[in-house]
Every structure is written in C-alpha cells, then in structure tokens.
Amino acid sequence: MARVRSRYAPDRGLTTRMVGTMFFIGLLYVVLVGILLAVLHGAWPFILIIVGGLFIAQFWFSDRIAAFGMGAREVTPQEAPELHGAVDRICALADMPKPRVAIAQSDVPNAFATGRSEKTALVCATTGLLRRLEPDELEGVLAHEMSHVAHRDVAVMTIASFLGVLAGIITRIALWGGLARNSRGNDPAGMIIMLIPLISAVVYALSFLLTRLLSRYRELSADRTAALLTGRPSSLASALTKVSGQMARIPTEDLRKAEPYNAFYFVPAFSSKESLGRLLSSHPTLEQRLDQLARISAGLSRP
C-alpha cells in the first residue's frame, strides 16, 4: 500500500503509521457495523448494501469531489507551460508517471494532490501560488505534493476518513429518525438503540484523531522526501515561509471557503488566529517544518 516505486526516499515511519491507522480504523469500522447488525438484525441486508455503497463511493469518488470543491481545472501544457514544465522536471527526478495537472482560480496561495494511485493522481496549484512563487520554490511545493502520491498516503487518508463520515451519517440518521422514541421503559433493545448516536460520536472522534495524527506526520514526511529529492530544502523552506506569511493578507471570506479542505493543502488556511482549526490542525506548525528543513540542509552541506 505504501511501497515506493520512485526515487522518493522511502519512509518506514510513514508506512508504519499508515498501517497502524488503517488497522485501528478497520477495527472501529467492524465494531460500528457489528453494533448496527446486532441492534437492527432484521435489516442487515439493507445495512450491508448501504455501508458497502458508501464505502465504494467514498473510495472511488472522494478525490474527484474534493478536486471539484476546490475548483481544480485540468490544464494542458499549452495553457500552463511553466506549471507543466515544473511537474515534468519533478517526474524526471522521481522517475514516476506524470500526474494530471490542474489550476484552481483562487488568490489563496496553495497546492494539493488527489488520487487513489499514480494513474489517477492530480496535482493542482492555485493562481495565487503561481503568481507569488519563484520557479525553484514552485518545484519544491510540487515535489512535496507528488511525494503524497508516491507514498500512497493520499489514498490512505481517503479510506481512513470514510469511517468518520459514516459515523456522522449514522448519528444524524439516529437523531433525525427519532430512534430513541422507539425505546420503552427498560427494554434492552431500546436502550441499545438510544446508544447508537453516542457510539457513533465516539467512533467519529477516534477516527478524527487517528487521521489528524497521521496527517501531521505525512506532511513532515512529504517535506523531508521532497527536500532530499530536489536537493534544495532552502527552496521549500522559502515557499513555506512565503505562503504562510501571505495567508494573513487573504480576505477572510476566501479563507473560510478554503478552510474545509485544509487536509489536502500544502499549507492550511485559517480564517482567524483564534480558529479552532489551529488546535486540531492537519499540519504541523511552520516552526516544526522549517526546523526539519534546516536540519536537512545542514546534513546536505556536510562534505
């Protein structure tokens, strides 16, 4: 699942975390479905069909939905020669297939990658990013994004996030459908049905924490492998500093539109300094990322 078939440096820590996350996500998934089958045993075919359908839809279409939501529009080499040229150079360095290339019309300086595999991968940069970065900085950002594709962690995050989505849906169905109203006195079945929203909420919280912990590490891993691939950690550090600094100048309305997609972005967008998203961020802090790149730069400069 996380085997690297390119020149991106393998990351055993990332592989271990992805396997561990998928194991615990799978365990939570089995527990949740098992509870539903035990409580609503008469409707088990319906439950399995719905759950299976949601999983297939999440796995096959979530990347397209995310790309559409972020306004990604695929472009040809004639439409965006500089962006395609930068992607071509990274692909040559990494010895990996070229992903689809897209641009999002947004002043928020950012980039992201989606796709279940190298064959379905898409790398997108916003117009705000293209306007602000120098060519070597842009290559550093693109190398970071393509590291996500090479290490398969985009697909893992897509699958891992499914359980949280399912738990949220079950909670809403339980509340909107008034399942608790079906309980009578001390009826055990009714008591269990009343616990469905609570159990789903706990599963959602655990799923959220697991994916956040994985996401933070994978961002550091992508920074590290991109810096080693290009041999220019200072360019990536410069891009990080520049993009993070520019976020404060972006209108609040634009940041709010971008905030739901922070898990995909190169740098998270927050609509305010007090945003709860900062406490539950999918990314490590800027200081952590710059410190790592500084250590890599020092290591590369040693004779």
Side-chain angles (χ1 to χ4, degrees):
M1 177 170 53
R3 182 169 62 90
V4 181
R5 294 182 295 177
S6 69
R7 292 182 184 137
Y8 276 102
D11 190 323
R12 292 183 180 178
L14 178 62
T15 301
T16 301
R17 283 166 173 78
M18 288 196 292
V19 171
T21 297
M22 291 303 295
F23 173 78
F24 285 110
I25 288 289
L27 185 61
L28 288 173
Y29 180 78
V30 170
V31 170
L32 181 60
V33 174
I35 290 172
L36 288 177
L37 292 176
V39 174
L40 307 173
H41 53 84
W44 68 266
F46 178 74
I47 292 173
L48 293 180
I49 290 173
I50 293 297
V51 170
L54 286 173
F55 181 82
I56 292 172
Q58 177 77 4
F59 182 74
W60 287 97
F61 301 113
S62 62
D63 56 339
R64 302 179 195 177
I65 294 171
F68 176 79
M70 289 181 278
R73 182 183 67 86
E74 195 169 347
V75 292
T76 64
Q78 292 72 32
E79 292 175 299
E82 293 182 1
L83 179 58
H84 269 272
V87 172
D88 286 334
R89 288 190 289 275
I90 297 301
C91 288
L93 276 176
D95 189 24
M96 63 185 290
K98 184 178 181 179
R100 293 174 294 142
V101 179
I103 291 177
Q105 294 291 329
S106 172
D107 194 43
V108 178
N110 236 317
F112 62 89
T114 66
R116 303 180 308 279
S117 65
E118 291 181 352
K119 292 182 180 180
T120 61
L122 177 143
V123 174
C124 179
T126 65
T127 51
L129 185 81
L130 296 174
R131 187 170 63 253
R132 291 175 171 88
L133 296 189
E134 298 297 325
D136 61 320
E137 295 171 337
L138 177 62
E139 285 189 19
V141 173
L142 295 174
H144 169 103
E145 293 304 328
M146 290 172 63
S147 172
H148 290 314
V149 176
H151 287 104
R152 308 291 202 276
D153 55 71
V154 173
V156 172
M157 285 296 292
T158 298
I159 297 172
S161 64
F162 167 73
L163 185 61
V165 173
L166 176 61
I169 291 173
I170 291 172
T171 302
R172 287 193 292 270
I173 291 175
L175 294 175
W176 291 345
L179 291 179
R181 289 197 296 267
N182 293 330
S183 63
R184 301 247 181 212
N186 295 321
D187 179 16
M191 297 283 289
I192 295 176
I193 290 175
M194 289 181 65
L195 289 175
I196 288 179
L198 177 60
I199 293 169
S200 298
V202 171
V203 169
Y204 175 81
L206 292 174
S207 172
F208 180 87
L209 291 175
L210 286 170
T211 54
R212 281 298 179 270
L213 290 173
L214 172 61
S215 182
R216 289 171 189 162
Y217 185 90
R218 83 184 188 114
E219 292 300 330
L220 287 172
S221 175
D223 284 347
R224 179 169 55 253
T225 54
L228 292 173
L229 179 73
T230 62
R232 297 193 304 269
S234 59
S235 296
L236 182 55
S238 176
L240 272 168
T241 303
K242 188 177 291 186
V243 171
S244 297
Q246 288 291 316
M247 286 295 179
R249 303 182 182 182
I250 303 299
T252 301
E253 182 179 353
D254 293 341
L255 291 175
R256 283 176 180 166
K257 291 179 181 179
E259 209 165 355
Y261 303 102
N262 274 343
F264 290 92
Y265 283 135
F266 170 63
V267 171
F270 295 111
S271 56
S272 71
K273 292 183 178 180
E274 294 76 25
S275 173
L276 181 61
R278 289 184 182 275
L279 299 176
L280 303 173
S281 177
S282 55
H283 291 60
T285 65
L286 175 63
E287 290 74 18
Q288 288 176 306
R289 299 175 77 174
L290 293 179
D291 285 346
Q292 175 182 247
L293 291 172
R295 290 194 300 270
I296 294 173
S297 183
L300 292 175
S301 63
R302 293 195 191 104

Short mmCIF file of all heavy atoms in Angstrom, two decimals, residues 8 13 29 34 46 67 69 79 82 122 133 163 176 180 192 212 217 253 268 270 278 285 287:
data_model
loop_
_atom_site.label_atom_id
_atom_site.label_comp_id
_atom_site.label_asym_id
_atom_site.label_seq_id
_atom_site.Cartn_x
_atom_site.Cartn_y
_atom_site.Cartn_z
N TYR A 8 11.73 8.80 -4.70
CA TYR A 8 11.44 9.41 -3.40
C TYR A 8 11.95 8.48 -2.30
O TYR A 8 11.76 7.27 -2.36
CB TYR A 8 9.94 9.62 -3.22
CG TYR A 8 9.42 10.90 -3.83
CD1 TYR A 8 8.74 10.89 -5.04
CD2 TYR A 8 9.59 12.12 -3.18
CE1 TYR A 8 8.25 12.06 -5.60
CE2 TYR A 8 9.11 13.30 -3.73
CZ TYR A 8 8.44 13.26 -4.94
OH TYR A 8 7.96 14.43 -5.48
N GLY A 13 8.68 5.17 8.88
CA GLY A 13 7.80 5.73 9.90
C GLY A 13 6.42 6.01 9.34
O GLY A 13 5.40 5.74 9.99
N TYR A 29 -14.38 0.29 12.42
CA TYR A 29 -15.39 0.05 11.39
C TYR A 29 -16.14 -1.24 11.68
O TYR A 29 -17.38 -1.30 11.61
CB TYR A 29 -14.70 -0.02 10.03
CG TYR A 29 -15.61 -0.26 8.86
CD1 TYR A 29 -16.36 0.78 8.32
CD2 TYR A 29 -15.71 -1.51 8.27
CE1 TYR A 29 -17.20 0.56 7.23
CE2 TYR A 29 -16.53 -1.74 7.19
CZ TYR A 29 -17.27 -0.70 6.68
OH TYR A 29 -18.08 -0.92 5.61
N GLY A 34 -20.86 -4.02 13.43
CA GLY A 34 -21.33 -5.12 14.27
C GLY A 34 -22.44 -4.67 15.20
O GLY A 34 -23.43 -5.40 15.39
N PHE A 46 -30.00 -4.56 4.20
CA PHE A 46 -30.06 -3.13 3.88
C PHE A 46 -28.83 -2.41 4.42
O PHE A 46 -28.23 -1.57 3.75
CB PHE A 46 -31.32 -2.53 4.48
CG PHE A 46 -31.47 -1.05 4.27
CD1 PHE A 46 -31.80 -0.53 3.03
CD2 PHE A 46 -31.24 -0.17 5.33
CE1 PHE A 46 -31.92 0.83 2.84
CE2 PHE A 46 -31.36 1.20 5.14
CZ PHE A 46 -31.70 1.70 3.90
N ALA A 67 -11.46 17.64 -5.52
CA ALA A 67 -10.88 18.49 -6.56
C ALA A 67 -11.91 19.46 -7.11
O ALA A 67 -11.62 20.65 -7.34
CB ALA A 67 -10.32 17.62 -7.69
N GLY A 69 -14.58 20.54 -5.48
CA GLY A 69 -14.88 21.51 -4.42
C GLY A 69 -13.83 22.59 -4.31
O GLY A 69 -14.15 23.74 -3.94
N GLU A 79 -1.69 25.60 -22.15
CA GLU A 79 -2.36 26.56 -21.28
C GLU A 79 -1.48 26.98 -20.11
O GLU A 79 -1.57 28.13 -19.65
CB GLU A 79 -3.66 25.96 -20.74
CG GLU A 79 -4.74 25.75 -21.80
CD GLU A 79 -5.95 25.04 -21.22
OE1 GLU A 79 -5.81 23.90 -20.73
OE2 GLU A 79 -7.06 25.64 -21.25
N GLU A 82 4.63 26.74 -17.82
CA GLU A 82 5.57 26.77 -16.69
C GLU A 82 5.21 25.73 -15.63
O GLU A 82 6.09 25.05 -15.08
CB GLU A 82 5.58 28.17 -16.07
CG GLU A 82 6.17 29.24 -17.00
CD GLU A 82 6.21 30.60 -16.33
OE1 GLU A 82 5.81 30.71 -15.16
OE2 GLU A 82 6.66 31.56 -16.99
N LEU A 122 -3.79 13.69 -9.46
CA LEU A 122 -3.92 15.05 -9.98
C LEU A 122 -3.18 15.99 -9.04
O LEU A 122 -3.33 15.91 -7.82
CB LEU A 122 -5.40 15.45 -10.08
CG LEU A 122 -5.69 16.89 -10.55
CD1 LEU A 122 -6.93 16.92 -11.44
CD2 LEU A 122 -5.90 17.83 -9.36
N LEU A 133 5.24 32.59 -6.24
CA LEU A 133 6.46 31.82 -6.03
C LEU A 133 7.43 31.90 -7.20
O LEU A 133 7.03 32.01 -8.36
CB LEU A 133 6.11 30.34 -5.79
CG LEU A 133 5.31 30.00 -4.53
CD1 LEU A 133 5.27 28.48 -4.36
CD2 LEU A 133 5.88 30.67 -3.30
N LEU A 163 -14.62 6.29 7.68
CA LEU A 163 -15.34 5.87 8.89
C LEU A 163 -15.93 7.05 9.63
O LEU A 163 -17.05 6.99 10.15
CB LEU A 163 -14.40 5.09 9.81
CG LEU A 163 -15.08 4.49 11.05
CD1 LEU A 163 -16.15 3.50 10.64
CD2 LEU A 163 -14.06 3.83 11.95
N TRP A 176 -32.32 12.23 13.57
CA TRP A 176 -33.44 12.70 12.76
C TRP A 176 -34.57 11.68 12.72
O TRP A 176 -35.74 12.03 12.67
CB TRP A 176 -32.96 12.97 11.33
CG TRP A 176 -32.04 14.16 11.25
CD1 TRP A 176 -31.84 15.12 12.20
CD2 TRP A 176 -31.19 14.49 10.17
NE1 TRP A 176 -30.90 16.03 11.78
CE2 TRP A 176 -30.49 15.67 10.53
CE3 TRP A 176 -30.93 13.91 8.91
CZ2 TRP A 176 -29.55 16.28 9.69
CZ3 TRP A 176 -30.01 14.53 8.08
CH2 TRP A 176 -29.33 15.69 8.45
N ALA A 180 -34.58 7.00 19.31
CA ALA A 180 -34.74 6.94 20.76
C ALA A 180 -36.21 6.86 21.17
O ALA A 180 -36.55 6.34 22.22
CB ALA A 180 -34.09 8.16 21.41
N ILE A 192 -30.21 0.03 23.75
CA ILE A 192 -29.08 -0.03 22.82
C ILE A 192 -29.28 0.96 21.67
O ILE A 192 -28.36 1.64 21.25
CB ILE A 192 -28.92 -1.46 22.27
CG1 ILE A 192 -28.53 -2.40 23.41
CG2 ILE A 192 -27.86 -1.49 21.18
CD1 ILE A 192 -28.44 -3.86 23.00
N ARG A 212 -5.89 12.79 12.03
CA ARG A 212 -5.11 14.01 12.26
C ARG A 212 -3.66 13.67 12.61
O ARG A 212 -2.72 14.32 12.15
CB ARG A 212 -5.74 14.84 13.38
CG ARG A 212 -6.95 15.67 12.94
CD ARG A 212 -6.52 16.68 11.88
NE ARG A 212 -7.64 17.48 11.41
CZ ARG A 212 -8.41 17.17 10.39
NH1 ARG A 212 -8.22 16.04 9.73
NH2 ARG A 212 -9.38 17.98 9.99
N TYR A 217 2.09 13.78 10.47
CA TYR A 217 3.34 13.11 10.16
C TYR A 217 3.58 13.06 8.65
O TYR A 217 4.70 13.23 8.19
CB TYR A 217 3.34 11.69 10.73
CG TYR A 217 4.68 11.00 10.53
CD1 TYR A 217 5.68 11.10 11.49
CD2 TYR A 217 4.94 10.26 9.38
CE1 TYR A 217 6.91 10.48 11.30
CE2 TYR A 217 6.16 9.65 9.18
CZ TYR A 217 7.14 9.76 10.15
OH TYR A 217 8.36 9.17 9.93
N GLU A 253 -13.19 35.95 3.84
CA GLU A 253 -14.20 35.16 3.11
C GLU A 253 -13.55 34.06 2.28
O GLU A 253 -14.03 32.92 2.23
CB GLU A 253 -15.03 36.08 2.20
CG GLU A 253 -16.13 35.35 1.45
CD GLU A 253 -16.95 36.28 0.57
OE1 GLU A 253 -16.74 37.51 0.65
OE2 GLU A 253 -17.79 35.78 -0.18
N PRO A 268 -2.14 24.97 5.57
CA PRO A 268 -3.54 25.17 5.95
C PRO A 268 -3.93 26.64 5.93
O PRO A 268 -3.11 27.52 6.21
CB PRO A 268 -3.61 24.59 7.37
CG PRO A 268 -2.21 24.70 7.89
CD PRO A 268 -1.32 24.50 6.71
N PHE A 270 -6.46 29.42 7.59
CA PHE A 270 -7.32 29.66 8.74
C PHE A 270 -7.92 31.05 8.63
O PHE A 270 -7.23 32.01 8.31
CB PHE A 270 -6.53 29.54 10.05
CG PHE A 270 -6.01 28.15 10.30
CD1 PHE A 270 -4.66 27.89 10.25
CD2 PHE A 270 -6.88 27.10 10.56
CE1 PHE A 270 -4.18 26.61 10.47
CE2 PHE A 270 -6.41 25.83 10.78
CZ PHE A 270 -5.05 25.58 10.73
N ARG A 278 -6.80 25.59 14.22
CA ARG A 278 -5.38 25.63 14.57
C ARG A 278 -5.05 24.61 15.64
O ARG A 278 -3.97 24.03 15.65
CB ARG A 278 -5.00 27.03 15.06
CG ARG A 278 -5.00 28.09 13.97
CD ARG A 278 -4.51 29.43 14.49
NE ARG A 278 -4.55 30.44 13.45
CZ ARG A 278 -3.59 30.65 12.57
NH1 ARG A 278 -2.51 29.90 12.60
NH2 ARG A 278 -3.69 31.60 11.66
N THR A 285 3.24 22.61 12.83
CA THR A 285 3.44 24.06 12.81
C THR A 285 4.51 24.44 11.80
O THR A 285 5.34 23.62 11.40
CB THR A 285 3.86 24.56 14.20
OG1 THR A 285 5.14 24.00 14.52
CG2 THR A 285 2.83 24.16 15.26
N GLU A 287 7.03 26.29 12.38
CA GLU A 287 8.33 26.16 13.03
C GLU A 287 8.87 24.74 12.94
O GLU A 287 10.06 24.52 12.68
CB GLU A 287 8.23 26.60 14.50
CG GLU A 287 8.02 28.08 14.71
CD GLU A 287 6.60 28.54 14.38
OE1 GLU A 287 5.69 27.66 14.30
OE2 GLU A 287 6.40 29.74 14.16
#
